[in-house]
Amino acid sequence: CRTLQTTTMSESRLSRCVSCFAFNKDRTQCAVSPNDNTIEIYQVNSEDNGKWKLLHKLEEHDSFVADIDWSPVTNLIVSAGHDRNAYVWTPQQDGSWKPTLVILRINRAANAVRWSPNGDKFAVCSGAKVVPICHYESQNDWWVSKMIKKHKSTVLSVSWHPNNKFILTGGCDFRCRLFSAFIEEVDGTDDAAAFGSIFPDQFKFGSLLAEFDQARGWVESVAWAPGGYRGAFVGHDASINFIDLSAGQPQVQRIDHGGLPFTQVGFLSDDYAIAIGHEPNPMLFSMGSNGFEFSTKLDKKGSKSSGPKKTSRFGAAKDIFMKATSQALDSKKSQATETTLDTRHQNQVTMLRVLDDSRFATSGHDGRVLFWNMAELMK
């Protein structure tokens, strides 16, 4: 049993850094990548998050694992990495995991991967300006990829619409795009009326249904609301943008929050969204009379200042330099005292996972996986 470094019951430090993670359906197991080419699967202790048990270590990737997703429908894990490969991991009767290589046909790194809601397709973002949509062909016993193009730069993020047919993508060309990922062999057309008047090409694979240029920086994360008529994307320009499809043609509301850029966004419900990133304090945005608006920072510890003012990371580095030059101090010894932030996360957040309408989890460069409960946070 591998004991984790913890600061509270809900804070688990798995390694020096956690780059991505995913839970199984009942959240009894968690797959994480400790910022390298491996995937570690843990048994989660629901009563004490400081005593997770390491069950498996998956080592098929040759390079950095960029993303992991675990389908609650099929219980399959998909991973994608900078080795330009994706693997679908199938659980075996002896408890091990069998990898199946998916030929993505990309010549640049894979950056993100997500299962569709039905678990029958997955999308992979890449530096090759394309998004392979992969589905399983039982007659040939392999995973087949079809390319969505029309991106002008690296694709960083993807999110599936609840209807299993649309995807939102975000990339380094400052654009968020809405595509049709409809595959005739997999998807049905029984819900054609829902978006037929808005997107007449909804059943043409790869069709660009809408493009949004409100961000003035890399679009680092995209998300759909559970109802399917709202979406969001966050840019490296410290903005969060909300998409509304309920009025017919897509409408976008841009909010500049004035802080550090967000790297992750997700919806708890149609009316509540969470964003977090370089400032490791989750921020709640809620629907008001004039659209979405900033509500509050959820890490109350980090929202209040008490006692002496904390030194920023830049300020701490500057102090070390000044002491080393003006006072002839050893810079290595000066670094012994680390700067501690007021927030639970001590570094940039790498991933956000919405668990249900009142709970979510995050991971960060501080090596922690943190659980957040809205019922406790809003007290």
Side-chain angles (χ1 to χ4, degrees), residues 204-215:
K204 294 181 181 179
F205 178 85
S207 295
L208 178 59
L209 304 179
E211 182 172 316
F212 311 106
D213 61 358
Q214 284 74 15

Side-chain angles (χ1 to χ4, degrees), residues 109-263:
N111 298 314
V113 63
R114 284 294 181 272
W115 283 109
S116 66
N118 294 346
D120 48 16
K121 300 181 289 186
F122 62 87
V124 181
C125 301
S126 75
K129 307 179 186 179
V130 296
V131 178
I133 305 296
C134 306
H135 70 284
Y136 185 70
E137 281 193 354
S138 56
Q139 59 184 8
N140 294 316
D141 192 25
W142 61 29
W143 291 84
V144 179
S145 61
K146 298 181 68 174
M147 296 296 183
I148 289 182
K149 302 179 181 179
K150 302 180 182 177
H151 294 91
K152 297 179 181 179
S153 188
T154 296
V155 188
L156 298 174
S157 54
V158 64
S159 179
W160 283 92
H161 190 277
N163 69 4
N164 210 68
K165 301 179 181 65
F166 302 158
I167 60 169
L168 272 180
T169 64
C172 290
D173 56 2
F174 303 2
R175 296 291 188 274
C176 174
R177 295 179 174 88
L178 172 58
F179 288 98
S180 170
F182 174 84
I183 296 179
E184 187 175 0
E185 299 87 347
V186 177
D187 300 307
T189 59
D190 52 338
D191 59 347
F195 294 97
S197 59
I198 309 174
F199 306 126
D201 293 336
Q202 63 175 317
F203 297 130
K204 294 181 181 179
F205 178 85
S207 295
L208 178 59
L209 304 179
E211 182 172 316
F212 311 106
D213 61 358
Q214 284 74 15
R216 293 188 287 272
W218 307 328
V219 177
E220 303 210 45
S221 181
V222 296
W224 284 105
Y229 284 91
R230 289 174 180 162
F233 58 97
V234 292
H236 203 68
D237 57 345
S239 71
I240 180 170
N241 304 268
F242 292 97
I243 304 167
D244 187 0
L245 304 179
S246 60
Q249 292 303 313
Q251 304 293 322
V252 178
Q253 174 194 1
R254 175 188 166 94
I255 299 176
D256 294 293
H257 77 94
L260 296 175
F262 296 125
T263 60

Side-chain angles (χ1 to χ4, degrees), residues 275-292:
I276 193 170
H278 291 279
E279 180 179 350
N281 191 336
M283 300 187 190
L284 177 67
F285 292 83
S286 58
M287 173 59 70
S289 57
N290 297 315
F292 277 91

Side-chain angles (χ1 to χ4, degrees), residues 68-88:
I68 310 167
D69 203 19
W70 200 329
S71 173
V73 179
T74 62
N75 198 35
L76 300 178
I77 295 174
V78 63
S79 60
H82 286 186
D83 55 4
R84 299 170 295 175
N85 292 326
Y87 289 92
V88 174

Side-chain angles (χ1 to χ4, degrees), residues 353-372:
R353 291 280 186 180
V354 175
L355 306 180
D356 53 40
D357 60 0
S358 63
R359 295 181 299 165
F360 61 96
T362 56
S363 65
H365 280 305
D366 57 0
R368 290 181 171 90
V369 174
L370 303 186
F371 296 86
W372 307 81

Side-chain angles (χ1 to χ4, degrees), residues 32-53:
V32 306
S33 178
N35 205 39
D36 58 20
N37 66 319
T38 65
I39 300 169
E40 297 175 345
I41 299 180
Y42 289 89
Q43 184 73 38
V44 176
N45 186 315
S46 59
E47 296 181 356
D48 185 353
N49 292 328
K51 295 182 180 179
W52 290 15
K53 182 180 180 181

